[in-house]
Amino acid sequence: MPQDSPMTAKPDRIRKGRKFDQVLEGARDIFLRDGFERASVDAIARAAGVSKATLYNYFPDKRLLFSEVLRRECDRQAGAALHEIDMAAPAETVLKSAARHIVSALLSEFNQAVFRICVAESDRFPNLGAAFYQSGPMRLRSEIAAFLREATRRGELSVEDETLAADQFAELCKADLYTRRVFRLDNGFAEDEIRRVIDGAVAVFLARYGTDRTRPPRLSPAAGP
Amino acid sequence: MPQDSPMTAKPDRIRKGRKFDQVLEGARDIFLRDGFERASVDAIARAAGVSKATLYNYFPDKRLLFSEVLRRECDRQAGAALHEIDMAAPAETVLKSAARHIVSALLSEFNQAVFRICVAESDRFPNLGAAFYQSGPMRLRSEIAAFLREATRRGELSVEDETLAADQFAELCKADLYTRRVFRLDNGFAEDEIRRVIDGAVAVFLARYGTDRTRPPRLSPAAGP
DNA sequence: CGGAAACTGAACCGCCCGGTCTAGGATGTC
DNA sequence: GACATCCTAGACCGGGCGGTTCAGTTTCCG
């Protein structure tokens, strides 16, 4: 039973107030929508369904509220990883499904919003960039690198510099799509656009890092001329 | 309807004011440093060595001044292209020197600043994203694509989808470096870090798109170099 | 020289913002 | 009922902002 009765014997409860989470949620909505500068504290309080006094009861100022919100969102983002992929499947299968996960995560509304804010505010909030990097790109890279190492051990791939290869793979997944999304030229992409990029990424990657077992027969236009 | 270009209209030397360029320069400095929201018009006027009244004589409001500044900076950026590269050299040479140009351009202070602003303000200034995209990534891509087409004709490469391949190459050049730069984890990179990425990018690219003439002997672990 | 046009500096306006404060309303515990 | 705690609505403050105005100065050019 989800009883959140605020009286659990004594004030060993650190949680400063009943509406603490509401404040964070409202702040997240407004900050992600408007950015730090344009988000007004009044708007946040309104969105949180809370009075401004209550808000300032929890957080001493706007900056700290912002930092806390972004820190949490970075953590949240870190959860959405590639864990569910069956790393024991054939390399090409793993790469393809990883690519699909990466693409859809990168293009998601949420990731875009957090990315935008982190980029824009990274000078005023120096730790922000690092937080985002570690919660997103860095985790992704180490997961991919671990897989590459394992696949190399199995003889399916031949990767010496796993971190470089992992970065390359992630970058290949961005091709075109990400840029267009970041600059708001498109907000949705057709399935065949996505497949084109994913298949292209896997093909390029395997051409370089595949072994004889996994490298596809060269589909070069050598057939052509 | 507000006139956004003081140089238009009839006479030749109408130049709405002697200090027009000063204003643009000052505005560029401040906007690129502080972004749109945090840049105050007073600061811009001060940086331009001009009174606020003069500034508002040229531009009806802050938004339009901003748009004009960014439009010019995008144009300026477009100039710094790959033209000077000798496209007739062997493919690997061309790719390597192109990669070096791309990397140094991407990591430059100027490009970072413009990128940041475009990303942050792309929703409030919808045409901004497109302007940046066309002046930067898109030009780059079409130049690379043109080279790939030519190299394929020469039989040095074997590329079917030139735009995809061009995007992939540009993405490969970003690996790791760009992310770290954008999030301000580093502001300078050692020469061997850069070379590692560039060589890696070219190797991956040639493994997929090279022909027997240009594809390097596979450096797979089985076969020694 | 003389007058128009460009430019200046500063004061000024209205607005909104971050942040404070107060008087009072719920709520729950003894 | 009394007390304590949390919360609320909104008035309030100082300040910075974008933008305007204006009286006076500089520059340009015939």
Side-chain angles (χ1 to χ4, degrees), chain A residues 165-183:
Chain A
D167 282 326
Q168 289 174 329
F169 184 67
E171 291 296 338
L172 284 170
C173 292
K174 295 183 187 170
D176 193 33
L177 301 178
Y178 194 64
T179 313
R180 276 157 59 198
R181 182 82 163 100
V182 156
F183 294 120

Side-chain angles (χ1 to χ4, degrees), chain B residues 36-221:
Chain B
F36 177 74
E37 214 70 46
R38 283 178 63 94
S40 83
V41 177
D42 295 79
I44 290 173
R46 210 178 311 126
V50 143
S51 83
K52 227 174 15 158
T54 302
L55 187 154
Y56 276 104
N57 223 350
Y58 297 149
F59 297 93
D61 62 18
K62 186 186 177 189
R63 283 182 58 97
L64 229 68
L65 172 57
F66 179 74
S67 293
E68 180 63 13
V69 166
L70 264 288
R71 199 185 58 72
R72 293 194 172 218
E73 292 310 304
C74 285
D75 282 359
R76 199 158 83 87
Q77 170 191 247
L82 307 175
H83 287 312
E84 69 248 32
I85 294 182
D86 174 20
M87 296 298 192
E92 180 171 354
T93 309
V94 174
L95 289 176
K96 276 219 168 131
S97 80
R100 190 162 289 271
H101 275 76
I102 293 173
V103 167
S104 84
L106 284 178
L107 300 182
S108 74
E109 199 66 58
F110 171 72
N111 181 76
Q112 288 285 316
V114 179
F115 174 79
R116 257 174 241 285
I117 292 212
C118 288
V119 167
E121 310 293 347
S122 64
D123 53 342
R124 236 158 321 163
F125 297 84
N127 27 356
L128 205 61
F132 184 84
Y133 182 73
Q134 283 161 11
S135 73
M138 199 174 164
R139 284 200 186 207
L140 177 66
R141 176 171 77 175
S142 65
E143 281 194 61
I144 299 179
F147 165 73
L148 297 181
R149 203 157 26 236
E150 172 62 14
T152 296
R153 199 191 55 75
R154 292 203 304 249
E156 286 192 273
L157 296 179
S158 157
V159 176
E160 316 90 42
D161 187 340
E162 300 100 5
T163 64
L164 177 61
D167 283 326
Q168 287 174 330
F169 184 68
E171 291 296 337
L172 284 171
C173 291
K174 296 184 187 170
D176 192 33
L177 302 177
Y178 194 63
T179 314
R180 275 158 59 200
R181 182 81 163 99
V182 156
F183 295 119
R184 295 185 198 277
L185 306 176
D186 297 278
N187 19 7
F189 299 92
E191 169 58 21
D192 39 338
E193 285 183 293
I194 294 176
R195 194 165 37 230
R196 165 172 170 262
V197 170
I198 290 179
D199 291 350
V202 173
V204 169
F205 193 81
L206 283 182
R208 168 68 177 82
Y209 295 115
T211 63
D212 295 331
R213 271 161 52 196
T214 51
R215 192 164 50 244
R218 189 153 291 264
L219 31 144
S220 130

Side-chain angles (χ1 to χ4, degrees), chain A residues 3 55 63 74 79 82-83 96 99 115 122-123 134 136 147 151 185 191:
Chain A
Q3 161 149 350
L55 187 154
R63 283 183 59 95
C74 285
L82 307 175
H83 286 313
K96 277 220 169 132
F115 174 78
S122 65
D123 55 342
Q134 283 162 10
F147 165 71
L185 307 177
E191 168 60 22

